[in-house]
Amino acid sequence: MVEDEAWLAELFEEQGPTLHRLAVMLGAETQSGHIIRTALLGLSRRERRIVDPAERVEYLIEHVVHQARSARGSLGQLQLQEVADPRQNEICQAVAAMPVRLGEILLVSHYLSIFGAALAGVMRMTVKGSNQRLAEAVEQVRATVGDPVPGSQPGVVESLSEELTAALRAAARLVQAPGTETLELELRALRARRDGVPLWVSTLFVAGALAVGGTLAWATTGRSEPVPSPSPVMTTNPAGAAARSRPSQVQSVPVYYVGRADSLLYRELRDLPVSGSLVQTAANAILSLAPLDPDYDSEWTPGRVVSATVEAGVLTIDLSADSYLEFGSEADAGRAVDQMVYTASDILGEPDLVVRFLADGAEPPAPFRGEHRRDGLTPLGKLWINSPGNTAKLPAGKINISGLTQESPTAPRILVSNSEGVLLTSLFAQIDIDPDGDGWRAWSVTLDLGPGEYQIVAEGSYGETVPQLLQQNRTITVS
């Protein structure tokens, strides 16, 4: 029997304001509602795997941290309000001004009082790496604002760590909390029983309810994902838009991430700002850009691409030494290597590309030494949705849903539900009769969708003797 659906609504009611304030301070104010909604959707799909209440909260925090990082972009900064107390304000401004990765870990640890293994899990780091980065961040604040002194703020503060907590929570109080006008509707939606309908479908009703509350402080503005094109396309802003200009972007750059459930590779097509070569741009994205789909992750921790050069079919990627610090096993390192190899190979159009790694110009750790190549379809997910991307915003009308599956006896079934959890469509996609030279079979289906938010699920199988069930999903907005 499915657990009482009210748990998700209660968790939202309890944690929503804190998560919203966290997203705002992490520099993702305009994306806050969307980030929290997708966090709830992701958690609802994992209700049977994540049952401990503390682990559920940590999952939501982790999602907010990394999706805020993605929404903020590589040039973004933390956004901390000015507070009335001079000492607290000095501390907040010191945190906002420091390198964003150090500021992030201070904000998450001290605002939420999360430390040790829990903090490492949220930040997707090892405990040792997390502790080292936190200690470095605290020391940077100490160097800027000095040690605590008697009378520096109301009450008795015995340490800089306590001052940090007080200052960050003071700044958080200045962030307008999300409204609660739609909460009763959300609770009713989650408590409603629908025979045979999984929990994530009911959760979509929450997303619709939140979207209705357009006056809320955390009303969403979704992140757009382009329809895949055969090759990356560079775009720039018109000259007259200088007041709100963005850097030139390359559209539909393939970036490979790792599936949380199966540890296989999946590709997202991303719009990335130009920074040196296209391979270097994509490598930086792997290190620092969270995937749009919460079911994906990156094995790499934040670092920096020193250089990426190609000569005679060999790509040499020189990464900062801190990029290699957080790998718990050779399997983790192997997936990290595959992320870089498959991404670079796709961009350069060279299936036989050889990749070598350096660490600040020197030999990298053992798992990264030597020459690395693609291993065919072995590391790749068996079923992909190529288009639309997760969180895509599309015009109403004909919507093409397409993807790939490794050689399979049947075409995937496509299920589309609206924001009220009503199943609108269930049909088999059209699929190529024969696989291509690499073993992929392309599939597609075209639907006529009006304005609204939709959940798209592709269900398939792999293998004829003992079929393995496969599933991919996307949330899109049609306007």
Side-chain angles (χ1 to χ4, degrees), residues 174-187:
L174 299 176
V175 175
Q176 183 179 357
T180 58
E181 291 87 342
T182 64
L183 183 58
E184 183 179 356
L185 175 61
E186 294 151 16
L187 289 169

Side-chain angles (χ1 to χ4, degrees), residues 65-66 69 101 104-105 108 118-125 130:
V65 169
H66 293 276
R69 179 183 294 171
R101 291 292 185 267
E104 275 182 345
I105 200 165
V108 173
L119 178 62
V122 166
M123 304 306 292
R124 299 176 185 171
M125 302 173 68
S130 173

Side-chain angles (χ1 to χ4, degrees), residues 80-81 83 87-97 167-168 170-171:
L80 300 181
Q81 300 288 329
V83 298
R87 172 72 174 179
Q88 289 183 345
N89 190 60
E90 185 181 17
I91 291 172
C92 287
Q93 298 313 307
V95 173
L168 292 172

